[in-house]
Amino acid sequence: MSRTARLLDLLQLLRNRSTPVSGNDLASALGISIRTLYRDIATLQAQGADVAGEPGLGYVLRPGFTLPPLMFSADEIEAIVLGSRWVAAKADDSRLSQSANQALAKIAAVLPAELRHRIEATNLLVARGVTTPSSVDASQIRLAIRHEHKLAIAYRGPDGTESERTIWPFMIGFFDAARIVAAWCEMRQAYRHFRIDRITALHPIAERYPQRRAVLLKQWRADNGIAPPT
């Protein structure tokens, strides 16, 4: 491994951690000696990376430092292309689909020619499935989630019964045949799941819900026995 590649790997290891990580752990992950790690840390700091810490205490990369144009591996490029194409084909939300295509185009624009060719030549295909269309603008749900705002919705249950709810949306699940909003329902005083194609009307409420989105998600995972992503 070249020193440049090693420095990029070291930056990525630090970016993946929000708490200090010991020098021994970093050196072990990179397969280098602790003395080499200290030199690499000093090199990153000299190049402007705000790496805080010192030997014996651990290191953390403070926010604000951006990597130079990345040299993706072939597998990483295929993952980016597949993910972007899946969103473009499956999102059932024109804004999200367009954003996926635009993001992929921006990434391709800053890559060297050889890597850009890999994006264009990748042989991964996402088939378009049949998703029940929705009558509401799903981007409003995503906006409410982003700003942690309540939503007033009219919902048609599987038996056709109509109800009006005030919900605290915190996640959208994308499945082959449906899109599901996970939310706290004020009427039921419990977590509930709402199919977007069964929401017949929605109105944003300019009021933040009282808990943070991350807290709701953590509680929802605990209630459903779902482990957090690694």
Side-chain angles (χ1 to χ4, degrees), residues 90-110:
K90 303 284 189 176
D92 193 28
D93 177 338
S94 60
R95 291 187 185 180
L96 202 58
S97 296
Q98 291 171 6
S99 295
N101 287 326
Q102 290 168 359
L104 188 58
K106 287 180 179 179
I107 292 172
V110 299

Side-chain angles (χ1 to χ4, degrees), residues 154-214:
Y155 191 72
R156 184 181 64 254
D159 59 354
T161 303
E162 298 274 352
S163 63
E164 294 185 354
R165 315 282 187 102
T166 297
I167 62 173
W168 310 350
F170 58 87
M171 185 181 68
I172 297 178
F174 290 82
F175 299 90
D176 286 339
R179 308 294 177 255
I180 307 293
V181 181
W184 176 264
C185 177
E186 290 188 355
M187 184 176 77
R188 298 298 187 189
Q189 286 295 292
Y191 291 108
R192 289 291 186 267
H193 305 104
F194 303 93
R195 285 181 53 146
I196 293 180
D197 59 286
R198 290 179 181 165
I199 297 177
T200 57
L202 65 82
H203 302 284
I205 299 176
E207 177 186 352
R208 294 189 66 170
Y209 40 75
Q211 295 194 58
R212 298 304 303 269
R213 181 176 67 245

